[in-house]
Amino acid sequence: MTALDLSSPVAVVGTGTMGQGIAQVALVAGHPVRLYDAAVGRAREAAAAIGARLDRLVEKDRLTAAERDTARARLLPVENLAELADCSLVVEAVLERLDVKQQLFRELEDVVGDDCLLATNTSSLSVTAVGGALRNPGRFVGLHFFNPAPLMPLVEVVSGFATDVTSATRAYETARAWGKTPVACADTPGFIVNRIARPFYAEAFAVYEAQAADPATIDAVLRESGGFRMGAFELTDLIGQDVNESVTRSVWDSFFQDVRFTPSLAQRRLVESGRLGRKTGQGWYGYGDGAERPEPHTAERAQPPAYVVAEGDLGPASELLALIREAGIGVREDEEDHGTRLVLPGGGQLALADGQTSVEFRDVVYFDLALDYRRATRIALSASQDTSSRTLSEAVGLFQALGKDVSVIGDVPGMIVARTVARIVDLAHDAVAKGVATEEDIDTAMRLGVNYPLGPFEWGRRLGRGWAYDLLDDLHMRDPCGRYAPSLALYRHAYASEKRESTS
């Protein structure tokens, strides 16, 4: 099954920001495009707005004047659904209410031909439920574009329970012909991106609610150590706290209030107070005139240790040994020990976050996971009230000698980046095991849909077999609410990898 022919008219119903964006994508790809909105005059206004954006593309040399003019000639606002009768694809981008969408598609089914592909751009409703109102739900798919649609490359092509393979394939190939990167997805709450991205927000909020660190520090660690483009607090301020919380609650409710997707009480209070982020001038941060962005906690300068003793290879943090040597700090290797930690001159230990807490041990400082320890500009450390001041000072000085800012946070298991990445990896494995999408499509979706530095499976391969499972298992022992219990899919992956390695 191939993409729709460019001569085939495409209709967009609903002319808000997303509807206009989808219409522009189809228009620039070469299709005749019909615009319809139930509000009188809105379609004409949307056509004018799209025309203005085409003008800006010409100014930026992304379109020629001739291409703009022919595109404008293919754009037609219409006043009633009957004028969509000859369309080969209708994409809906109306109010996120199941009854509204179902009624629209019932009316469309009476207008368009039997071979017309019907698609919803819903981000939170069940594609199966929307299509369930149709006499022929086999031709119904989800085409979930990301905002702004002309710029964001990802499109989730969602098959409902009754969607025909031919319909899903045609939608997939059409999205690709429009210059997008489609990923195939089964109809599941949150699809790919909004399902697997939940821990990015949830774990940041959990660390904040545990009073282990403030929003500015957590955001800085996620950016400067984790390699994420934005931290969770600044990103939700940009999205809108009400919008982000609504998606979280939708996924949580759709999974029958699965504890893994539990919303944040701190975010709920923010929404209740009307502090919705940039659009209201106040969210986690202030955005009004004269508002100053709070600085992350950064430790004072400390003297680096003269040497460290490496017990084991530090696993995912093994590149630190080369950095320590390059900084002129001696590294003594204890080849007989099979641990994965550094011993400092004062006798204290420095270990990569593993789901345990400092308070459990005599004198341990944990350090957080980094995407790339050489390029990271900040490292988080955690210690308990029983950790000696000398051990903490030596740990701070060590990372400062490597050119890093250091943020000392509270004694929370898994810290910030490590627990976030482990949970993302776990949800990704769970999604594949349940037939939601392939590993490749999940990695693509998370890189392109939310700009993650690595896809979950790419990250898992880099971190090594069993890393995410072991961290979550330890974390679950310390917080046995079920939120951190590793999935059966992750267990199978870790166990199978271990078994293959032991027999090789």
Side-chain angles (χ1 to χ4, degrees):
M1 182 64 66
T2 58
L4 294 176
D5 189 273
L6 289 180
S7 63
S8 302
V10 171
V12 177
V13 177
T15 58
T17 300
M18 185 58 76
Q20 290 182 31
I22 296 170
Q24 181 180 328
V25 170
L27 190 66
V28 171
H31 287 273
V33 174
R34 313 276 171 80
L35 285 175
Y36 172 80
D37 198 291
V40 177
R42 286 276 180 84
R44 288 192 302 273
E45 293 173 2
I50 293 170
R53 284 199 289 273
L54 295 179
D55 288 339
R56 289 195 289 274
L57 291 178
V58 172
E59 293 169 2
K60 296 176 181 179
D61 293 326
R62 296 178 184 173
L63 278 183
T64 67
E67 289 171 333
R68 175 200 58 198
D69 294 342
T70 56
R72 275 181 170 166
R74 294 194 303 270
L75 182 61
L76 178 66
V78 300
E79 295 297 330
N80 59 76
L81 289 178
E83 295 179 77
L84 309 182
D86 63 340
C87 288
S88 297
L89 168 64
V90 180
V91 183
E92 162 274 318
V94 301
L95 188 65
E96 282 286 278
R97 275 180 44 186
L98 180 60
D99 60 335
V100 172
K101 292 180 188 292
Q102 287 180 329
Q103 180 60 34
L104 170 64
F105 283 110
R106 287 191 194 99
E107 295 174 10
L108 282 169
E109 199 170 30
D110 291 333
V111 170
V112 300
D114 291 341
D115 59 347
C116 178
L117 190 64
L118 299 177
T120 175
N121 183 59
T122 186
S123 61
S124 60
L125 298 176
S126 163
V127 171
T128 300
V130 178
L134 297 175
R135 294 189 300 273
N136 176 19
R139 60 165 160 178
F140 187 76
V141 298
L143 278 177
H144 181 216
F145 289 77
F146 289 73
N147 194 32
L151 299 180
M152 294 293 284
L154 184 69
V155 177
E156 292 177 319
V157 181
V158 185
S159 293
F161 186 77
T163 302
D164 292 336
V165 172
T166 53
S167 298
T169 303
R170 172 160 284 185
Y172 183 98
E173 294 299 334
T174 297
R176 183 158 63 177
W178 290 357
K180 297 300 180 183
T181 301
V183 292
C185 176
D187 185 21
T188 183
F191 309 141
I192 297 175
V193 172
N194 281 330
R195 172 178 176 152
I196 295 175
R198 293 346 299 157
F200 178 75
Y201 313 106
E203 295 313 309
F205 298 159
V207 172
Y208 168 75
E209 289 174 337
Q211 300 186 55
D214 60 276
T217 299
I218 296 169
D219 278 353
V221 172
L222 286 168
R223 288 193 314 270
E224 299 173 40
S225 183
F228 293 97
R229 187 167 297 185
M230 298 180 75
F233 296 89
E234 58 190 341
L235 180 55
T236 53
D237 268 357
L238 178 63
I239 295 168
Q241 298 301 330
D242 53 338
V243 174
N244 181 260
E245 195 215 21
S246 176
V247 172
T248 299
R249 292 185 69 85
S250 173
V251 172
W252 179 56
D253 284 334
S254 297
F255 275 115
F256 309 108
Q257 300 187 346
D258 186 327
V259 69
R260 295 176 301 166
F261 303 101
T262 301
S264 161
L265 181 59
Q267 188 180 39
R268 174 92 291 258
R269 292 292 178 258
L270 204 66
V271 172
E272 289 174 337
S273 70
R275 299 184 175 193
L276 306 183
R278 288 179 180 269
K279 61 187 177 184
T280 61
Q282 180 69 51
W284 296 110
Y285 304 111
Y287 299 94
D289 292 340
E292 294 185 7
R293 181 70 172 266
E295 293 294 323
H297 168 76
T298 302
E300 298 292 332
R301 298 298 301 179
Q303 187 71 24
Y307 67 91
V308 295
V309 178
E311 296 182 346
D313 64 2
L314 297 187
S318 58
E319 65 182 319
L320 278 175
L321 297 179
L323 298 180
I324 293 169
R325 290 188 178 96
E326 291 169 16
I329 298 172
V331 177
R332 305 174 186 176
E333 298 193 38
D334 185 347
E335 296 180 357
E336 295 184 2
D337 196 290
H338 299 289
T340 54
R341 56 190 177 271
L342 297 175
V343 179
L344 299 165
Q349 298 180 4
L350 186 60
L352 175 62
D354 60 5
Q356 301 182 83
T357 57
S358 294
V359 75
E360 301 170 52
F361 304 98
R362 183 180 63 82
D363 200 11
V364 170
V365 172
Y366 278 106
F367 64 94
D368 208 350
L369 181 68
L371 173 68
D372 182 331
Y373 283 98
R374 184 173 293 276
R375 296 184 179 181
T377 57
R378 182 178 299 273
I379 295 293
L381 303 179
S382 70
S384 75
Q385 65 271 23
D386 297 327
T387 304
S388 73
S389 58
R390 176 176 177 177
T391 295
L392 182 57
S393 178
E394 287 178 339
V396 169
L398 174 64
F399 281 103
Q400 289 174 338
L402 305 186
K404 319 299 183 186
D405 287 328
V406 176
S407 293
V408 179
I409 69 170
D411 187 19
V412 287
M415 301 190 67
I416 298 170
V417 179
R419 70 196 288 175
T420 299
V421 171
R423 288 209 59 218
I424 289 170
V425 169
D426 182 41
L427 288 187
H429 277 278
D430 184 55
V432 169
K434 292 176 178 172
V436 173
T438 65
E439 291 185 9
E440 181 181 5
D441 276 357
I442 288 175
D443 277 353
T444 297
M446 302 313 290
R447 287 196 314 269
L448 299 184
V450 279
N451 292 310
Y452 283 5
L454 293 174
F457 293 96
E458 293 173 314
W459 221 321
R461 287 189 290 272
R462 175 182 289 199
L463 294 169
R465 78 154 172 86
W467 178 86
Y469 176 83
D470 290 342
L471 186 144
L472 290 175
D473 194 41
D474 279 340
L475 215 165
H476 174 58
M477 289 178 64
R478 287 148 186 83
D479 188 358
C481 63
R483 176 189 183 116
Y484 300 106
S487 67
L488 179 59
L490 189 64
Y491 169 76
R492 284 173 171 157
H493 171 76
Y495 179 78
S497 297
E498 181 179 2
K499 191 172 182 180
R500 283 195 299 270
E501 186 172 286
S502 64
T503 58
S504 62

